[in-house]
Amino acid sequence: MQMHKILVLKSLNDNKNEKLQTAFLLEQTANKINSDYFKAKAYNSIGAYYFMEGSQAEMPKGSEFISKAYNLAQKINDKNLTNEISSNYSLLKVKQGLYADAIKMNDEVAQYYLSKKDFSGAQNSYNNLAFVFYLQKDYKNAITQFEQS
C-alpha cells in the first residue's frame, strides 16, 4: 500500500513531505518483513527527497540513502530495480565529479530501457546524459543526447 501511495504522489508531483513520510513507512514495513527489495525502494525515495528536494545540508543524507538503495538493488540482482535507482545514483556520481561513471551508467540504463521498449525510461536516461555533458561544457554531445531523448 505504501509503495502504491509513493507512486501516486510521484505521478502527481505534489505533497513531497507526505511522499517522504510514506517512504519512511515503507522502510519500516520492509524492515518488519525483511524485504531488501522494498528497503531499496524506500531508500531510493528517501534519498531522492533529501538529495533533490531538501536543503544543501541534507544532500549528504540523500547520498547515503541512494547509495544504500543502489547497493541493495545490486545485492538482490534485480535489473529493473537497479536501473530505476541508477538514475538517482548517477546524480551522486556527477556530484562527486565522476562524470565518466555517470555517463556510462546513464548510457547502460538507456540501452536497457530501449531493449525493454520503455521509451519514457530511455528518454529520462538520455536527458540525464545530456545534463552530464552540459555540466562538462561538452555542448555538442549534450545537444546530441537532448535530441536523442
Side-chain angles (χ1 to χ4, degrees):
M1 184 66 176
Q2 288 119 350
M3 194 64 234
H4 175 71
K5 190 172 183 180
I6 289 172
L7 292 174
V8 169
L9 290 171
K10 182 179 179 182
S11 70
L12 295 174
N13 200 21
D14 205 8
N15 210 342
K16 292 175 174 86
N17 286 330
E18 187 173 351
K19 181 180 173 186
L20 178 63
Q21 294 309 312
T22 303
F24 277 118
L25 287 173
L26 177 61
E27 177 192 19
Q28 289 175 354
T29 302
N31 285 328
K32 284 180 188 173
I33 64 173
N34 197 26
S35 171
D36 285 343
Y37 177 87
F38 287 113
K39 285 180 198 175
K41 293 284 249 182
Y43 294 155
N44 190 47
S45 293
I46 295 166
Y49 173 86
Y50 285 128
F51 193 77
M52 292 178 246
E53 307 291 338
S55 68
Q56 186 76 21
E58 292 175 316
M59 285 183 84
K61 190 187 303 186
S63 297
E64 183 181 323
F65 275 104
I66 292 169
S67 294
K68 283 169 59 173
Y70 183 79
N71 291 331
L72 276 175
Q74 293 282 84
K75 176 185 161 192
I76 63 175
N77 198 26
D78 186 308
K79 192 80 169 157
N80 290 326
L81 183 60
T82 299
N83 282 303
E84 176 185 329
I85 294 168
S86 289
S87 293
N88 289 335
Y89 191 68
S90 70
L91 293 175
L92 299 184
K93 296 296 183 183
V94 169
K95 184 74 173 157
Q96 296 166 344
L98 302 171
Y99 297 109
D101 291 348
I103 289 168
K104 181 176 185 250
M105 184 173 287
N106 279 306
D107 188 50
E108 288 172 357
V109 171
Q111 296 309 313
Y112 173 79
Y113 284 134
L114 286 174
S115 75
K116 298 291 185 184
K117 298 194 184 320
D118 178 352
F119 301 114
S120 176
Q123 178 184 17
N124 185 51
S125 296
Y126 284 122
N127 279 330
N128 288 347
L129 270 170
F131 176 68
V132 175
F133 285 122
Y134 176 81
L135 289 176
Q136 292 183 293
K137 297 183 182 353
D138 183 350
Y139 302 120
K140 182 180 176 188
N141 276 323
I143 290 169
T144 302
Q145 299 306 320
F146 276 129
E147 287 174 347
Q148 194 158 357
S149 73

